[in-house]
Every structure is written in structure tokens, then in C-alpha cells.
Amino acid sequence: MTQQAQGESQPQREHVALVQPLDALGSSLPIDERKFLSELSPDEVPPWADAQVRAYRKRLKEIESHISTYCSLRNTQASIHVLPPEILGRIFAHACTTRRSLWITQVCRHWRAIATRTPRFWANALDSGRLCARLESEQDFLRIALVGSGTLSLRLSMVDGFGGAWKHLAAHASRMVSVTILVNFDHEVTALETTLSSGSLQNLRTLRVLKGRLRVTTVTTMPRLSLQTRYLPRLRELRIPGGLLSSASTVSTLEHFAVHGRMHNLNKHDLARSLKRCTTLTLLELNNILRARWVEIRRARP
């Protein structure tokens, strides 16, 4: 009788030994679930645990949704929301001085909706720093900001990838009043020359071309920029490396003309002829193209 009782209790002791670690892990579970877990065999624990995981994850999503809703309700009662949306939009536009200012759109749904509907906010965002247009994330930002800026004038500064960015900018070329671009490769100069000669930048007033470490990759010689009044009728300020300026350039509307670096293909006579046509020129800056490091010539308007 004793041996039979011992034989019957042996499997039970093995079952308890297997479940004891699970009981220790489940100490934080509700009492009814711990009780149910203690009655399961080792083979029944994994499927039951999987089912509980799915159930808890579903409940977690519901709880997170409720938390988000209550946070939104709390935010709607904040004192700043007493201000009319038009005033908030102006505040956001003035606050957008760097790319980091875009965090405003992540504060709450109300702020995001107002910022999205404020063209000046997006126009200032485009003017808040240099755009590395060769990056897909930057092109995504460019596309969103161009649409969000509505019909406002645009001021852009780009570091790389002007050719890739132009597919987004082409439809908004008439709104561009200022462009600053750093070129590093010959194909970027070619893309810029094509754009400037297309006649699409009729309202461009300021053009600044900065030279990085220019490298020739697709042609034997570095292309030049030929700037003409008929393509840029409102251009007032031009800053350009001397090595990229073509001898055929003539922009009679210039008021401020700055050239820096050696002019490999433009002699002083060509430069003089170009300047003679600039009847509105009031400021000429020549940097590192003459013996003097800086030469600045001022001439009163006629």
C-alpha cells in the first residue's frame, strides 16, 4: 500500500518540480491567472502563455489609445489654445528659424494642424538652413515644404544635389527670389547652367554660387555659367567664383556683383565690357583676382 502510494505520488512531484519555476516567474500575475497556471501541465503552458501575450498586447494598444486621447483632451484645455489659430500660426512662423523648429509639428495635433496650414511657417523652414538635396530625407522635406509654402516667395540654400532637387523645384521656379548653392561636381554646374538658361527664374533677385572641392567627372573641362539678362531680368545680387563665370555673361540689372577666385577664362577686358552694361551697379567686390586681397569699388547710381 505504501509502495503504491509512493508510485502514484512520484509523477505528481515531477509535475510540481516543473511548474515551480513558472510559479516564481508568474508572481506578478493576477491571482486567478496564477491559480490557473499552477494547474497546467508543462505542455499546456506555452500555448496558454502565447494566448495571454496576444490578449495583453491587444489590451495594451487599447490603453495606449486611451492615453493618447486623454492627453489630447488635456492639451485642448491648455491656456495657449485660447489664442486664435491665426495668431498661433504667426508665432510658429516667427519661431521657425532653424530646421529644429519643425518639432512644433510634433507637440500636439492642434499645433500640427495649424503649422501645416501656415504657408509662412514652411517658407521660413526652407530658408532656415542649407539643404543637402542628395539625401532622400531632405528631398522629402523639400517636397512637403514646397507644397506647404503655398504661393509665397522662396529663399533656398543647397549644399549638394541641385540636379536632383530641381525636379521638385521646377514647378515653383517663379516663386524663387534667392538661391545659394554650393557646387562640388561638374555635373552640378551643368545642371545649374541649364536651369539659369531656361528662363524659369524670372523673379530671382539673389544668386550666390559657392565653390566646394570642384571635381571634373563627366567632361574634360569645367563648364561655365553664362548669365543673361533675358533669362534673369530681376537679378540684383550675384556672387560667383571667377572660375565659373563665362565671358559671355551679361546681366545689366545687377546692383551688387561679387567675384572671388581666379578668372581662368575671363580677362579684364571681358570683365570691363560686362560691367559697362551694368548701369545700375553700385557695389563691386573682387576677391583674390587682383594683387590686392580685396578690392571694393563703389559707384553712385546714375
Side-chain angles (χ1 to χ4, degrees):
M1 183 68 181
T2 304
Q3 292 180 353
Q4 184 178 0
Q6 290 178 351
E8 292 177 354
S9 62
Q10 186 66 26
Q12 184 176 1
R13 285 198 299 269
E14 291 178 357
H15 173 68
V16 172
L18 289 172
V19 174
Q20 279 179 347
L22 299 177
D23 290 340
L25 291 173
S27 59
S28 61
L29 296 176
I31 296 177
D32 56 336
E33 293 186 11
R34 289 205 307 267
K35 181 179 179 181
F36 186 81
L37 179 63
S38 64
E39 297 174 354
L40 295 178
S41 67
D43 294 335
E44 295 173 329
V45 170
W48 181 80
D50 288 339
Q52 291 298 103
V53 167
R54 290 191 294 270
Y56 272 110
R57 283 177 175 171
K58 182 178 179 180
R59 290 172 59 185
L60 180 60
K61 289 182 179 179
E62 294 176 353
I63 292 173
E64 290 177 344
S65 177
H66 295 334
I67 291 175
S68 177
T69 300
Y70 280 116
C71 286
S72 297
L73 289 173
R74 180 196 60 192
N75 292 338
T76 58
Q77 302 306 312
S79 57
I80 194 172
H81 292 308
V82 176
L83 294 174
E86 295 78 9
I87 301 299
L88 277 178
R90 290 190 177 186
I91 293 174
F92 295 162
H94 285 290
C96 192
T97 56
T98 67
R99 194 71 62 80
R100 292 182 178 180
S101 302
L102 294 176
W103 66 265
I104 290 175
T105 62
Q106 306 299 322
V107 173
C108 65
R109 295 177 183 177
H110 183 56
W111 283 25
R112 183 180 182 86
I114 292 177
T116 303
R117 297 194 303 265
T118 305
R120 177 55 61 187
F121 175 82
W122 293 107
N124 289 354
L126 286 170
D127 190 29
S128 63
R130 287 187 176 179
L131 184 73
C132 187
R134 62 183 175 84
L135 300 178
E136 291 186 7
S137 59
E138 293 284 79
Q139 291 194 28
D140 291 340
F141 161 73
L142 177 63
R143 185 175 62 255
I144 294 172
L146 286 172
V147 175
S149 60
T151 60
L152 295 179
S153 299
L154 301 176
R155 292 172 175 82
L156 301 174
S157 180
M158 285 171 282
V159 177
D160 278 325
F162 177 78
W166 184 247
K167 62 184 178 182
H168 304 298
L169 293 170
H172 307 271
S174 61
R175 297 196 285 134
M176 297 170 66
V177 297
S178 177
V179 172
T180 301
I181 180 170
L182 179 93
V183 291
N184 286 306
F185 298 95
D186 55 335
H187 59 82
E188 293 177 346
V189 179
T190 301
L192 182 59
E193 162 66 15
T194 302
T195 301
L196 295 174
S197 302
S198 65
S200 58
L201 298 171
Q202 293 290 309
N203 295 312
L204 187 67
R205 299 180 62 86
T206 301
L207 174 62
R208 302 183 183 97
V209 182
L210 309 177
K211 183 175 69 173
R213 296 182 178 180
L214 275 175
R215 285 163 282 188
V216 178
T217 58
T218 59
V219 294
T220 56
T221 59
M222 182 60 64
R224 313 295 176 185
L225 298 177
S226 179
L227 308 177
Q228 303 295 325
T229 304
R230 64 179 182 273
Y231 299 133
L232 304 166
R234 292 179 174 81
L235 190 64
R236 298 293 182 266
E237 179 183 346
L238 173 62
R239 292 179 176 270
I240 188 172
L244 297 182
L245 187 62
S246 170
S247 58
S249 297
T250 302
V251 183
S252 59
T253 58
L254 286 179
E255 297 176 359
H256 184 181
F257 183 30
V259 184
H260 53 90
R262 295 182 179 181
M263 295 182 176
H264 301 289
N265 63 321
L266 185 64
N267 58 43
K268 60 182 180 181
H269 300 292
D270 293 330
L271 177 61
R273 280 194 296 269
S274 296
L275 293 177
K276 188 176 181 180
R277 298 186 181 97
C278 298
T279 57
T280 58
L281 188 66
T282 59
L283 178 60
L284 172 64
E285 296 181 18
L286 305 177
N287 180 21
N288 287 344
I289 67 172
L290 301 177
R291 287 187 177 182
R293 183 171 181 80
W294 276 96
V295 176
E296 187 174 289
I297 304 173
R298 294 181 181 273
R299 187 176 70 191
R301 296 192 182 191

